[in-house]
Amino acid sequence: MPYAEFNIFEDDELYCVGIVVDLGEVLKPCPFCGGDPVINEIPPHTHVIATFMPDCKGECFIECKCSCAITAENKKKAIEKWNRRVKNE
Ligand SMILES: [Zn+2]
């Protein structure tokens, strides 16, 4: 997982080490099979996907090898939706 580390000093002494995690890019494992999901971004004006995912309204979908998938209008929302779904189940 991508992250950055930084030291926090107080009165010239090391107080603690902070870690910044880029949550926007971190996908949780699949809730059904534990596998790693894959992000697929569909360029605008591409409608081929509608033939096998008729309910796709957006330009990004995240799928897993166990055939579960979610869709959203962009990558950020798709990641949020995927991670929220994992948490709810
Ligand atoms: Zn899965």
Side-chain angles (χ1 to χ4, degrees):
M1 127 178 356
Y3 70 96
E5 231 178 67
F6 60 95
N7 296 326
I8 298 170
F9 291 93
E10 195 174 88
D11 298 332
D12 291 333
E13 281 185 36
L14 185 62
Y15 178 66
C16 69
V17 178
I19 294 176
V20 175
V21 179
D22 186 0
L23 286 176
E25 295 292 334
V26 178
L27 280 175
K28 293 181 180 173
C30 172
F32 302 107
C33 72
D36 288 325
V38 177
I39 300 175
N40 298 279
E41 288 187 89
I42 313 301
H45 311 302
T46 301
H47 298 293
V48 177
I49 189 164
T51 59
F52 62 93
M53 286 179 70
D55 63 338
C56 178
K57 298 178 187 68
E59 278 109 33
C60 183
F61 68 99
I62 297 175
E63 65 175 354
C64 172
K65 59 181 189 283
C66 72
S67 341
C68 63
I70 58 102
T71 66
E73 60 261 50
N74 59 49
K75 188 177 170 184
K76 187 171 179 288
K77 287 191 174 173
I79 291 172
E80 282 173 7
K81 195 171 170 183
W82 175 274
N83 286 343
R84 197 164 53 231
R85 186 192 66 145
V86 169
K87 204 167 100 181
N88 288 344
E89 283 173 2

